[in-house]
Amino acid sequence: MYQESFLDSLSIYTILALIFAVIALMFEFGYRLALGFPSKQISHSISPMATGLASLLAFILAITFSMAAAKSAERKELVLQEANAVGTTILRTSLLDEPYRSRSRELLREYVTIRVVEDPKQTKKLVNSIIKQSEELQLKLWHEAMAAHSSTSPQQLLLYINSLNEVFDLHTERANKGIRGRIPLSIWLTLGLLTFLTVGLNGLQVGAQNKGRALVAAIPFALAFSIVLTLIVELDRPARSIIDISQQPLIDLRDSLDNMLNTNKI
């Protein structure tokens, strides 16, 4: 089940503001620290270290962003796969005799309906309820398939059960990758530490030059890091604020399913 973390409870704009504030503080800390040392003592040696640390940070950022983007793409693809699997299963209910055919179709229609959340703001509130209801419907669908065993040929029933199993498997995969498939804490800690060390060292380098903070450059510098880190956080969160996983394949299936069942076309 989904348990909302502290970061998940915050809006993406609050997270951006917090990250920006911490990065700005680290830059200021490095700048003020440099003022306590003779400039010549550190100005010549700090540049290669700052460059090396920045390169290492860029490498970790690229890896982390790639992980988050890949997970987001997988979640989007799973929605399409689930819509296709449920659609195939609905068509294969025609292989069942009555009353199992009608009851299975109604259960599948209900299954699709509860899994569509068109308002992203409701996702966090409904996710556990959706998972629980989905698993209850899966059990009912399985019982209907088992009950149809006596009146359905083994070959036809096998085709239907294979489709049903795929629906169940995709539910489990969506739950695992959407809720539990998060970026590991160790990577977040590494990324955070490298970010703050890099920013602090850059502040130290600026302070060593005794030419002021140059806020016209320091603010965009801190903001750029903040935006990238915030984007990674957003991609990693199950319930998004500004980047949504489209539910359109399931919405289209739900709408077409209502039309097909109401007109008895399958």
Side-chain angles (χ1 to χ4, degrees), residues 79-98:
V79 175
L80 178 59
Q81 290 180 17
E82 182 175 54
N84 291 335
V86 175
T88 300
T89 305
I90 291 169
L91 292 174
R92 288 185 179 179
T93 55
S94 300
L95 300 172
L96 305 178
D97 290 333
E98 292 291 359

Side-chain angles (χ1 to χ4, degrees), residues 34-55:
L35 298 180
F37 296 92
S39 299
K40 293 182 180 180
Q41 186 174 339
I42 59 174
S43 59
H44 296 295
S45 60
I46 199 172
S47 180
M49 290 186 289
T51 301
L53 196 56
S55 299

Side-chain angles (χ1 to χ4, degrees), residues 37-249:
F37 296 92
S39 299
K40 293 182 180 180
Q41 186 174 339
I42 59 174
S43 59
H44 296 295
S45 60
I46 199 172
S47 180
M49 290 186 289
T51 301
L53 196 56
S55 299
L56 181 59
L57 174 61
F59 176 72
I60 299 297
L61 272 174
I63 291 177
T64 310
F65 183 85
S66 178
M67 289 176 60
K71 289 177 184 293
S72 181
E74 286 178 358
R75 293 166 186 164
K76 184 177 180 179
E77 180 64 24
L78 283 172
V79 175
L80 178 59
Q81 290 180 17
E82 182 175 54
N84 291 335
V86 175
T88 300
T89 305
I90 291 169
L91 292 174
R92 288 185 179 179
T93 55
S94 300
L95 300 172
L96 305 178
D97 290 333
E98 292 291 359
Y100 312 110
R101 179 191 308 153
S102 296
R103 290 203 295 246
S104 296
R105 287 175 179 176
E106 289 302 321
L107 288 170
L108 286 165
R109 172 158 58 179
E110 185 181 354
Y111 186 83
V112 173
T113 301
I114 66 171
R115 293 180 73 80
V116 175
V117 183
E118 297 187 66
D119 184 2
K121 295 179 181 178
Q122 298 297 316
T123 302
K124 289 189 288 187
K125 298 178 182 179
L126 299 176
V127 61
N128 287 332
S129 173
I130 290 172
I131 291 175
K132 182 179 179 181
Q133 292 179 62
S134 296
E135 291 174 349
E136 290 173 353
L137 287 172
Q138 288 173 9
L139 188 59
K140 292 178 181 178
L141 283 163
W142 185 255
H143 286 159
E144 289 295 329
M146 293 299 97
H149 180 268
S150 59
S151 60
T152 308
S153 70
Q155 294 83 2
Q156 291 178 324
L157 187 61
L158 181 61
L159 284 173
Y160 175 71
I161 288 178
N162 285 340
S163 295
L164 201 59
N165 281 334
E166 186 177 1
V167 172
F168 297 168
D169 291 343
L170 284 169
H171 162 77
T172 303
E173 194 171 357
R174 280 193 69 188
N176 282 329
K177 291 187 176 180
I179 298 173
R180 308 177 187 97
R182 311 287 295 273
I183 294 175
L185 179 61
S186 58
I187 293 181
W188 279 119
L189 292 175
T190 301
L191 181 59
L193 181 61
L194 283 175
T195 299
F196 300 142
L197 286 175
T198 301
V199 172
L201 199 58
N202 274 272
L204 193 67
Q205 187 176 16
V206 171
Q209 295 174 0
N210 282 324
K211 294 181 180 180
R213 292 178 182 80
L215 292 180
V216 69
I219 291 178
F221 171 79
L223 187 60
F225 274 105
S226 303
I227 291 173
V228 173
L229 289 170
T230 303
L231 181 58
I232 295 173
V233 172
E234 174 73 350
L235 288 171
D236 187 54
R237 299 203 298 179
R240 310 291 180 76
S241 300
I242 57 175
I243 304 176
D244 298 326
I245 299 296
S246 176
Q247 301 292 305
Q248 197 59 46

Side-chain angles (χ1 to χ4, degrees), residues 1-37:
M1 291 295 180
Y2 171 60
Q3 293 183 342
E4 187 177 60
S5 66
F6 174 70
L7 276 181
D8 291 344
S9 66
L10 300 177
S11 75
I12 199 64
Y13 304 105
T14 302
I15 293 173
L16 175 61
L18 289 173
I19 293 176
F20 178 80
V22 173
I23 288 178
L25 286 173
M26 285 301 300
F27 182 87
E28 182 67 15
F29 172 77
Y31 176 82
R32 290 183 176 274
L33 185 65
L35 298 180
F37 296 92

